[in-house]
Amino acid sequence: MEAKEVKRLMRNEVKHHLSKEDPEDLALKTSKIHNILFEQPEWKRAGNVGITLSVGREIDTYEILARGLEENKQMAAPKCDPDKKTLIFYHITSLEQLEDSFYGLKEPDLLKCKKVNEDDLDFLLVPGIVYSDKGYRIGYGGGYYDRFLSGNPSLYTCSLAYEIQLRDNLPTEEHDIAVKSIITEKRFIRP
Ligand SMILES: Nc1nc2c(c(=O)[nH]1)N(C=O)[C@@H](CNc1ccc(C(=O)N[C@@H](CCC(=O)O)C(=O)O)cc1)CN2
Ligand SMILES: Nc1ncnc2c1ncn2[C@@H]1O[C@H](COP(=O)(O)OP(=O)(O)OP(=O)(O)O)[C@@H](O)[C@H]1O
């Protein structure tokens, strides 16, 4: 089977698994993950953080946004260009600067936000559905983050995941770029 097909199956399997989990259980795990994140030296040092706005069973990032703003960090969220499959980050200081976008996503409203210089980001939270302890990940299949990271190779990257999202032997393709760290409710993984 081709890597693409295996990725599709694994994505669906983990999504299904997540949909069966008890929301209260997940919320407890989320708070453990947040606490580990906020203790991380890279987070503490970061002045300019890129995050997505979580939807559905993704690990909550709204609390991360709030915490970052409290800690006087510049927080930035991406706007997708669905044709080119690229991401452009914009500074956000309030939820009022967000609007509903395609695919059920919340994205910055360009009329209300300033564009971020990619080189200024120093900490990027990378979303995904399935992860390996080598730092490889499977996302929604847009290739948005692989493309973004290939242009920003030295950026510090971190993914948040429940243990049940980890799998051994993820298929990898030439373009896949591993994240530098993964935080689960049980551990800090630095591949
Ligand atoms: N909360 C959140 N925001 C995020 C991401 C994310 O994973 N989570 N992304 C992480 O990258 C980007 C959005 N990723 C996307 C990836 C694919 C499609 C999409 O159009 N999917 C097609 C089917 C794709 C396919 O299977 O070929 C569709 O459903 O029509 C949309 C958004 C940026 N924002
Ligand atoms: N750096 C890149 N340059 C060109 N095409 C790319 C690049 N990275 C990924 N792609 C294309 O994007 C498609 C989707 O990639 P992949 O399945 O790895 O996405 P994903 O990691 O699940 O999604 P995302 O990064 O949006 O979370 C691939 O088929 C690939 O052709």
Side-chain angles (χ1 to χ4, degrees):
M1 225 187 304
E2 271 190 71
K4 248 185 195 335
E5 179 64 6
V6 180
K7 282 186 177 179
R8 196 181 60 80
L9 293 172
M10 291 181 99
R11 187 182 284 131
N12 289 342
E13 184 249 321
V14 171
K15 270 189 177 170
H16 182 73
H17 199 138
L18 277 173
S19 74
K20 299 279 174 211
E21 292 289 301
D22 173 16
E24 279 182 35
D25 252 28
L26 291 182
L28 259 172
K29 290 174 180 165
T30 295
S31 104
K32 288 183 182 161
I33 291 168
H34 285 163
N35 289 336
I36 300 176
L37 169 67
F38 300 144
E39 287 308 314
Q40 212 194 317
E42 280 84 357
W43 165 269
K44 290 189 176 173
R45 272 203 297 273
N48 222 310
V49 178
I51 57 168
T52 50
L53 287 312
S54 53
V55 290
R57 294 271 154 134
E58 287 183 332
I59 291 173
D60 176 82
T61 59
Y62 285 86
E63 269 187 54
I64 302 174
L65 172 62
R67 175 72 171 241
L69 292 173
E70 254 171 52
E71 294 181 7
N72 292 317
K73 299 183 192 301
Q74 297 248 46
M75 300 299 287
K79 171 103 188 151
C80 295
D81 179 333
D83 297 325
K84 290 190 261 173
K85 296 279 196 291
T86 54
L87 297 172
I88 300 176
F89 282 82
Y90 292 84
H91 281 306
I92 42 171
T93 51
S94 134
L95 299 181
E96 280 155 37
Q97 289 166 293
L98 301 172
E99 62 176 4
D100 291 319
S101 185
F102 78 132
Y103 209 57
L105 298 177
K106 288 268 186 214
E107 292 195 321
D109 177 344
L110 304 197
L111 299 173
K112 298 180 182 163
C113 302
K114 268 217 186 95
K115 194 173 150 177
V116 175
N117 183 350
E118 283 177 15
D119 298 335
D120 290 344
L121 289 175
D122 47 24
F123 190 109
L124 186 70
L125 275 177
V126 180
I129 301 166
V130 195
Y131 302 88
S132 75
D133 60 9
K134 308 274 188 295
Y136 285 99
R137 46 174 279 284
I138 304 174
Y140 286 136
Y144 284 99
Y145 274 86
D146 289 323
R147 236 177 239 103
F148 185 79
L149 293 175
S150 72
N152 298 277
S154 61
L155 180 53
Y156 183 78
T157 49
C158 176
S159 287
L160 310 178
Y162 303 117
E163 285 283 332
I164 56 167
Q165 291 175 278
L166 294 178
R167 293 289 179 282
D168 295 330
N169 305 318
L170 286 202
T172 54
E173 296 172 271
E174 198 99 311
H175 61 261
D176 286 320
I177 298 176
V179 292
K180 301 202 167 113
S181 59
I182 299 177
I183 297 172
T184 77
E185 69 276 19
K186 293 220 173 89
R187 55 200 165 124
F188 190 102
I189 304 169
R190 242 180 229 285

